[in-house]
């Protein structure tokens, strides 16, 4: 269980991503957890689904305990909000979900604002060096971007290519974010 790829993927993540069901089963029997998250906060089920291995992803999700990121990925906004309001989401869980959901095309605003309050570190970076602020700056989420900045998120963190959120906003023609 000690192996991690450069992206923070465990052996279970890698087997799930390529759809190797037999290896997934073997790793689960050896104690690997379907709840383990990589550097982007993604579970093995998410990687399997991303690559089209939907039955394997469903199987891994059934084995997984319910957490914030799995609720968000499934569009279970009420469950996500209940978990946040009850204080059951850890700061690390909120940070991973915040980063992941900022890159989604449809963000549930109330859930997102609750994740901002639950996260202790707003500047978590994904494998590309991008933060939630970076993703929000490239989309039409001015109110959420303002909330992140007001709460202390850093607008000057560049991604691995040296692009800062403000530059990404300009390239995405988000003039409302540039002010």
């Amino acid at each position: 269980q000690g192996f991690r790829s450069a992206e923070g993927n465990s052996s279970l993540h890698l087997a799930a991503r390529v759809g190797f069901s037999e290896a997934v089963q073997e790793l689960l029997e050896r104690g690997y957890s379907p709840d383990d998250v990589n550097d982007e906060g993604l579970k093995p089920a998410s990687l399997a689904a991303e690559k089209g291995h939907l039955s394997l992803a469903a199987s891994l999700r059934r084995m997984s305990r319910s957490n914030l990121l799995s609720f968000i990925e499934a569009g279970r906004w009420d469950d996500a909000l209940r978990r946040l309001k009850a204080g059951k989401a850890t700061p690390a869980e909120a940070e991973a979900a915040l980063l992941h959901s900022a890159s989604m095309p449809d963000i549930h605003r109330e859930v997102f604002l609750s994740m901002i309050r639950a996260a202790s570190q707003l500047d978590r970076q994904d494998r590309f060096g991008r933060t939630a602020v970076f993703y929000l700056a490239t989309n039409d989420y001015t109110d959420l971007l303002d909330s992140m900045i007001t709460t202390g998120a850093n607008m000057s963190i560049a991604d691995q290519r040296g692009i800062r959120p403000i530059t990404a906003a300009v390239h995405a023609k988000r003039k409302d974010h540039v002010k």
Side-chain angles (χ1 to χ4, degrees), residues 55-77:
S55 63
L56 179 58
S59 175
L60 283 163
R61 283 193 176 108
R62 280 191 300 276
M63 291 179 229
S64 177
R65 61 178 169 75
S66 294
N67 76 15
L68 188 57
L69 189 55
S70 62
F71 289 149
I72 288 168
E73 288 176 336
R76 294 171 53 192
W77 305 114

Side-chain angles (χ1 to χ4, degrees), residues 34-178:
D35 293 313
D36 187 27
V37 293
N38 65 12
D39 291 348
E40 291 184 62
L42 300 176
K43 293 181 180 185
S46 298
L47 297 184
E50 188 177 276
K51 294 296 182 179
H53 309 294
L54 302 181
S55 63
L56 179 58
S59 175
L60 283 163
R61 283 193 176 108
R62 280 191 300 276
M63 291 179 229
S64 177
R65 61 178 169 75
S66 294
N67 76 15
L68 188 57
L69 189 55
S70 62
F71 289 149
I72 288 168
E73 288 176 336
R76 294 171 53 192
W77 305 114
D78 290 340
D79 291 328
L81 199 53
R82 256 193 303 283
R83 183 167 179 77
L84 285 159
K85 286 185 174 182
K88 292 183 179 178
T90 66
E93 185 181 357
E95 291 157 18
L98 189 68
L99 179 59
H100 179 69
S101 63
S103 65
M104 295 172 69
D106 186 31
I107 298 175
H108 188 286
R109 282 170 162 65
E110 188 177 0
V111 170
F112 197 85
L113 292 170
S114 293
M115 287 188 294
I116 292 172
R117 288 188 290 277
S120 60
Q121 203 256 33
L122 298 175
D123 298 320
R124 181 176 177 154
Q125 293 174 282
D126 65 11
R127 65 183 173 153
F128 305 110
R130 295 179 180 156
T131 63
V133 165
F134 185 100
Y135 288 111
L136 293 173
T138 61
N139 292 299
D140 190 25
Y141 299 119
T142 306
D143 59 327
L144 299 178
L145 181 59
D146 287 344
S147 293
M148 290 281 294
I149 294 167
T150 301
T151 310
N154 188 339
M155 271 295 283
S156 65
I157 297 175
D159 70 2
Q160 290 177 350
R161 297 181 305 163
I163 299 172
R164 298 187 191 293
I166 193 75
T167 306
V170 169
H171 287 287
K173 297 183 171 75
R174 297 290 176 198
K175 294 176 186 158
D176 48 336
H177 296 332
V178 179

